[in-house]
Amino acid sequence: MKIVIANESHIQYAEIICETIKESAKVRGTGIAERTPEYIIKKISTGHAVIATHNDEFAGFCYIEIWSNNEFVVNSGLIVHPDFRNQGLAKEIKKRILEHSKELYPKAKIFGITTGLAVMKINYELGYQPVTFSELTTDEDFWNGCRTCKNFDILTRTERKMCLCTGMLYDPNHEKNIKQHEYDSKVLTRLKKIKQALFLKKT
């Protein structure tokens, strides 16, 4: 398995990356903001993405977005192809994109929003902390990127204070980010259930 900074030789995978993201959203039944092949190509071409391949087959992907004049960085679009899941690949991709983000933007706060408990676990183990949306970027373009998510109406109803997603932040100013104790999934599982109860009531 190769996990590398994406370059123009990887543009050929743009279509399958987008298709994999789209299909994953359908299977999971959760909100995933879709991206176009053109957007993915831009990230690849500018060195703002990490890609995993195995024998030239697409295996996984994640990219970097920059907001609020480089104050915030997002590691977004994490996806692993179904043929390569349950092998720990997602964590290796997240680890590499985090390292790359710190190399490119050493002073930036790095964050992500997700509904997936597996991604929350990975983020926590890499040093991210759950935070309120008020601690994240206020950049309109970032939040407009959520428009393709099926839960966008929840975000707008709450005036961007909360959604089914959980915000997680890696602050480079904190000396000890990596956690020394085990991740407790019960807390975030409970949080997710509370959000679902609040926002997904039958109308």
Side-chain angles (χ1 to χ4, degrees):
M1 184 71 66
K2 294 181 180 179
I3 303 175
V4 300
I5 307 304
N7 57 56
E8 292 188 353
S9 70
H10 299 110
I11 288 176
Q12 60 180 308
Y13 299 107
E15 290 282 354
I16 191 171
I17 290 169
C18 292
E19 188 61 29
T20 305
I21 292 173
K22 185 177 180 180
E23 290 303 313
S24 179
K26 289 180 181 178
V27 171
R28 287 168 51 186
T30 56
I32 298 180
E34 296 180 19
R35 294 292 182 258
T36 65
E38 291 76 18
Y39 188 83
I40 297 301
I41 288 171
K42 180 181 178 180
K43 291 299 176 183
I44 291 174
S45 300
T46 57
H48 281 70
V50 164
I51 192 166
T53 59
H54 180 67
N55 294 332
D56 295 328
E57 290 183 57
F58 168 69
F61 185 77
C62 193
Y63 61 84
I64 295 171
E65 293 179 315
I66 309 98
W67 305 103
S68 303
N69 295 318
N70 296 345
E71 181 181 352
F72 288 96
V73 165
V74 178
N75 296 160
S76 191
L78 175 66
I79 193 69
V80 173
H81 191 277
D83 293 346
F84 298 96
R85 289 174 185 165
N86 303 313
Q87 300 177 31
L89 181 57
K91 184 174 182 179
E92 292 304 311
I93 293 173
K94 284 287 288 186
K95 183 178 180 180
R96 186 67 187 92
I97 197 75
L98 176 61
E99 292 170 351
H100 190 44
S101 298
K102 291 192 290 184
E103 290 166 0
L104 293 177
Y105 305 97
K107 296 182 180 180
K109 295 178 180 179
I110 304 167
F111 77 94
I113 59 174
T114 181
T115 58
L117 291 175
V119 176
M120 291 182 205
K121 180 177 186 294
I122 291 170
N123 284 346
Y124 184 82
E125 291 173 348
L126 291 176
Y128 291 74
Q129 287 290 296
V131 295
T132 62
F133 282 8
S134 64
E135 296 181 63
L136 309 180
T137 181
T138 57
D139 197 309
E140 292 292 333
D141 287 340
F142 170 77
W143 297 106
N144 284 337
C146 295
R147 287 184 179 276
T148 57
C149 174
K150 71 175 187 177
N151 298 320
F152 185 68
D153 67 305
I154 298 173
L155 189 66
T156 54
R157 289 203 318 261
T158 62
E159 298 180 342
R160 287 201 321 229
K161 293 178 181 177
M162 63 180 69
C163 193
L164 292 186
C165 279
T166 295
M168 300 192 75
L169 182 71
Y170 181 100
D171 190 340
N173 296 316
H174 292 170
E175 292 184 2
K176 295 182 179 179
N177 281 295
I178 303 300
K179 300 302 156 192
Q180 301 300 321
H181 53 277
E182 291 185 2
Y183 167 85
D184 186 354
S185 64
K186 293 181 180 179
V187 175
L188 289 178
T189 299
R190 192 177 303 118
L191 174 60
K192 185 174 181 179
K193 288 181 178 179
I194 291 171
K195 287 183 177 182
Q196 289 174 334
L198 285 172
F199 300 128
L200 298 182
K201 289 180 180 179
K202 293 182 179 179
T203 56

